[in-house]
């Protein structure tokens, strides 16, 4: 059963502003589709006013989508509430104003803000290709740092425990962030994966990722928007993710490491398990007894016998 921790879509009332939240979490009979892109720049008065971004959703043929989340993260020196833009998904209007559900601030670039929409009711599931259109009507520069689609879906022969966390955390050198990320019905040590999007400010930046006290990833010698997937990591019902932006004796600018979203999941696939129980050779005839002790039947099976 999937739980939505923040109901999105009908106007996005902000309430108390935070810089991270768990958007959705739960256990489903299926898997999670995740796709993101970055970045798109609008150059104020003199720049292009409308930009269109294609995104594909290649779900399995027998998939049944449960939810579809669209999140857009942007940076601007202007207060986010005053940003004038039009956001459309497949020509369906989502917003005429930028009303963030969370935001951060940095001296490097100003505000780092995010909007999130539950686009399940308007998603056309009979096509793979979709389009996001942004028309910006402001006078100052605006950078769309990241656009992401997150879709939990049902599918046969799979089961997934997942948590989708969204954030506008900003880390300067020497600072760190810590997230507590629950996972439903996961045994200690069960292996899963982490998907994340972030923006690295400089090739000189050094960032260390720890999960439950163990280092699982290091960032160095890269710059700009980055999508990562770290698999085969041990997880539990309660996970502590720590991200350290390490101090540096060599200054660099911009300095801010920006985190956009994090997904932790454990996916279990049902599979056949074929075992040969008995082999009888009678002249030129070989009789083989094969038993399937797995969770599902195979599409086909091939036996190779040497006599």
């Amino acid at each position: 059963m999937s739980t939505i921790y923040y109901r999105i879509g009908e106007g996005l009332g902000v309430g108390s502003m935070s810089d991270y939240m768990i958007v959705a979490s739960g256990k489903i009979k299926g898997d999670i589709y995740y796709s993101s892109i970055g970045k798109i720049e609008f150059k104020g008065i003199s720049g292009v006013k409308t930009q269109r971004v294609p995104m594909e959703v290649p779900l399995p043929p027998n998939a049944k989508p449960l939810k579809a989340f669209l999140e857009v993260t942007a940076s601007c020196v202007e207060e986010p509430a005053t940003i004038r833009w039009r956001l459309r998904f497949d020509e369906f209007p989502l917003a005429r104003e930028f009303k963030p559900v969370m935001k951060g601030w940095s001296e490097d670039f100003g505000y780092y803000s995010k909007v999130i929409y539950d686009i399940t009711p308007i998603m056309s599931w009979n096509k793979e290709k979709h389009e996001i259109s942004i028309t910006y009507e402001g006078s100052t520069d605006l950078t769309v740092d990241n656009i992401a689609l997150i879709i939990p879906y049902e599918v046969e022969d799979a089961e997934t425990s997942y948590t989708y966390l969204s954030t506008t955390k900003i880390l300067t050198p020497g600072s760190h962030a810590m997230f507590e990320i629950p996972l439903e019905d996961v045994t200690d040590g069960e292996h899963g994966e982490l998907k994340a999007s972030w923006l690295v400010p400089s090739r000189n930046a050094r960032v260390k990722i720890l999960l439950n006290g163990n280092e699982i990833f290091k960032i160095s010698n890269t710059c700009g928007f980055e999508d990562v997937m770290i698999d085969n990591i041990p997880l539990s019902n309660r996970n502590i993710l720590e991200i350290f932006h390490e101090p540096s004796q060599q200054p660099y600018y911009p300095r801010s490491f920006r985190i956009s979203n994090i997904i932790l999941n454990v996916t279990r696939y049902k599979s056949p398990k074929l075992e040969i129980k008995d082999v009888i050779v009678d002249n030129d005839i070989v009789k083989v007894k094969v038993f399937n002790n797995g969770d599902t039947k195979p599409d086909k099976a091939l036996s190779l016998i040497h006599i």
Side-chain angles (χ1 to χ4, degrees), residues 119 207 240 251 273:
I119 59 170
V207 180
I240 303 298
K273 185 180 180 182

Side-chain angles (χ1 to χ4, degrees), residues 9 20 32 50 91 103 123 131 157 167-168 221 283 292 306:
Y20 80 95
I32 305 292
T50 300
E91 298 304 322
K103 64 181 178 180
M123 190 79 171
E131 184 181 78
D157 303 331
T167 180
T168 52
N221 298 316
N283 295 325
N292 181 10
H306 287 277

